[in-house]
């Protein structure tokens, strides 16, 4: 890396810690259409040309923010310096919440209500009745819009395998597609839909 690239990466890390306010998925879709779709056309539900589904599963929203902000010359990805920090987070919100049709969203929301709401609360604020009655300290996802430090793969693992004594494992109760969809619902709870 050059000194300039190192400086840009450090600046991006500072800006990419987390969105200051919850991003808007719908605005992200519009910005994506205007700035990204000429290269990354939509190829189906949740899939885009030249954006690897594996990359989307294994990258964090923070990493996506940095890629959009500063590009990747070796892969022909330009830096989108004309977009504001807010606009970039909106695009990231759009990308990381793709792949749920209405039926999947409905059925996965029911799974969330049955398995997750008692601790995480109806809006993901960690204020569910079980968390309150046991005085559990829960993360408020709305204070960490998009859960920027977690890839879909990491969220999938936490849901499937649990998190030590803090959270039960749900591998026996949920299929792989149900678990994948639940990662999207968790992200949706942390952002604004409008």
């Amino acid at each position: 890396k050059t000194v300039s690239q190192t400086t840009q990466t450090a600046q991006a890390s500072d800006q990419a810690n987390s969105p200051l306010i919850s991003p808007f998925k719908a605005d992200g879709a519009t910005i994506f259409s205007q700035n990204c779709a000429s290269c990354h056309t939509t190829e189906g539900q949740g899939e885009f040309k030249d954006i690897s589904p594996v990359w989307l599963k294994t990258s964090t929203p923070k990493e996506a923010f940095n890629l959009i902000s500063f590009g990747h010359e070796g892969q022909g990805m330009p830096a989108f310096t004309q977009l504001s920090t807010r606009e970039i987070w909106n695009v990231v919100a759009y990308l990381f919440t793709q792949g749920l049709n209405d039926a999947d969203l409905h059925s996965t929301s029911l799974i969330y209500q049955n398995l997750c709401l008692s601790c995480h609360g109806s809006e993901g604020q960690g204020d569910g009745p079980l968390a309150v009655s046991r005085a559990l300290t829960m993360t408020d996802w709305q204070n960490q819009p998009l859960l920027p430090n977690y890839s879909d793969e990491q969220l999938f693992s936490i849901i499937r395998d649990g998190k030590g004594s803090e959270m039960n494992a749900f591998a026996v109760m949920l299929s792989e597609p149900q678990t994948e969809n639940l990662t999207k619902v968790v992200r949706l709870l942390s952002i604004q839909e409008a």
Side-chain angles (χ1 to χ4, degrees), residues 40 55 76 108 111:
H40 302 293
W55 183 85
T108 307
I111 291 170

Side-chain angles (χ1 to χ4, degrees), residues 90-139:
N90 288 344
V91 171
V92 173
Y94 170 68
L95 289 173
F96 275 80
T97 56
Q98 293 304 294
L100 279 179
N101 61 38
D102 289 341
D104 287 341
L105 179 59
H106 177 72
S107 63
T108 307
S109 293
L110 292 176
I111 291 170
Y112 180 87
Q113 288 173 17
N114 290 321
L115 299 178
C116 312
L117 185 142
S118 63
C119 286
H120 293 286
S122 61
E123 301 295 322
Q125 294 178 300
D127 59 354
L130 186 60
V132 171
S133 70
R134 293 189 179 172
L136 301 175
T137 303
M138 305 290 297
T139 301

Side-chain angles (χ1 to χ4, degrees), residues 164-179:
S165 62
E166 299 173 43
M167 183 175 145
N168 294 329
F170 292 99
V172 175
M173 302 172 82
L174 298 172
S175 68
E176 187 170 317
Q178 287 173 321
T179 306

